[in-house]
Amino acid sequence: MAEREKQKLRTRRALLEAAREIVQAGRPLTIAEVADRAEVGTSTVYRYFSTPQQLIAEMPLPLADDFLADLPEDPAGRLQTIIDRVCDMQFGDQTVWRTAMMMSQQRWLENFDRAEEAVPLRPRARVEMTRTALEPLSDVLPPAALHRLTMAILVVYGTEAMISAFDVGTLSPAEARDVMQWSARALLDAALAEHAAMSR
């Protein structure tokens, strides 16, 4: 990678880290404050991110690759590892993830009547992580069954599941993690059992 590209990457990471620190402190996120904390001009921030919403949306993304490192070979173990890593990050940094959720819902409210346009609301990192966890099943389950399983598991971990577990279920972090792990295993077992029954 050329030095210029490395510098761009360092700047982008510095801006994202500055945004994370502001959100963690419970303050409204503005381009001006991000620039001040990162010690750059506002024009620099705008070259990378045109709105605070873009900063919020991309804050989690640099961590996604870490979730996929050194996964076990079996699907159950891969799911457990990824869910554990997501829980470790989100449970310890709820402010960032709740803020990201709030801003995605604000974008939905602002654009819900634009039926003719697809409005991107959330990053798709969790979709890709779940697909990666289930890759060993690509030669086992039919595509439709594998897709359904992937979409079902998306529901039982991540930001939405964390908020439901803590705010609605009033679970402790340990209980929330256990419920997410149990739900993912139950869905995996159900999909495999259904496929086995249909193959007889």
Side-chain angles (χ1 to χ4, degrees):
M1 183 183 297
E3 183 57 36
R4 182 177 177 82
E5 294 304 314
K6 290 180 181 178
Q7 181 57 49
K8 287 182 178 179
L9 185 58
R10 286 194 294 267
T11 300
R12 187 180 191 85
R13 287 174 175 169
L15 295 175
L16 289 170
E17 183 57 32
R20 179 184 292 274
E21 291 172 359
I22 293 167
V23 171
Q24 286 175 326
R27 297 196 301 276
L29 188 66
T30 66
I31 294 295
E33 187 169 1
V34 170
D36 184 62
R37 181 170 284 270
E39 299 182 343
V40 299
T42 55
S43 60
T44 297
V45 182
Y46 279 117
R47 278 201 296 271
Y48 291 86
F49 304 99
S50 60
T51 65
Q53 288 86 346
Q54 286 185 352
L55 276 158
I56 286 288
E58 293 196 36
M59 272 194 287
L61 295 185
L63 301 172
D65 288 345
D66 296 340
F67 299 150
L68 304 179
D70 303 318
L71 293 177
E73 293 184 5
D74 64 296
R78 292 163 75 89
L79 276 175
Q80 179 176 346
T81 300
I82 288 175
I83 293 173
D84 269 338
R85 290 171 179 174
V86 171
C87 288
D88 286 343
M89 183 185 69
Q90 292 189 331
F91 291 6
D93 206 0
Q94 287 192 48
T95 305
V96 167
W97 293 92
R98 287 174 180 268
T99 302
M101 170 65 75
M102 178 185 69
M103 297 188 82
S104 75
Q105 295 308 297
Q106 287 176 343
R107 290 198 300 278
W108 185 89
L109 288 170
E110 293 165 359
N111 295 283
F112 77 96
D113 58 344
R114 292 165 55 190
E116 73 283 0
E117 298 180 42
V119 180
L121 295 178
R122 301 286 301 280
R124 293 178 57 82
R126 196 180 350 148
V127 176
E128 299 309 320
M129 287 191 292
T130 307
R131 285 176 175 161
T132 299
L134 299 176
E135 272 180 0
L137 297 179
S138 60
D139 295 329
V140 177
L141 295 178
L146 183 57
H147 176 74
R148 183 176 65 172
L149 175 60
T150 301
M151 296 300 106
I153 289 174
L154 286 180
V155 178
V156 302
Y157 79 105
T159 310
E160 300 89 346
M162 177 187 74
I163 293 172
S164 295
F166 289 160
D167 297 1
V168 182
T170 64
L171 301 181
S172 70
E175 290 171 328
R177 184 189 299 261
D178 178 66
V179 166
M180 292 179 190
Q181 294 284 12
W182 182 89
S183 300
R185 286 195 305 271
L187 289 167
L188 175 61
D189 291 345
L192 292 173
E194 180 182 69
H195 176 64
M198 294 177 63
S199 301
R200 290 173 188 160

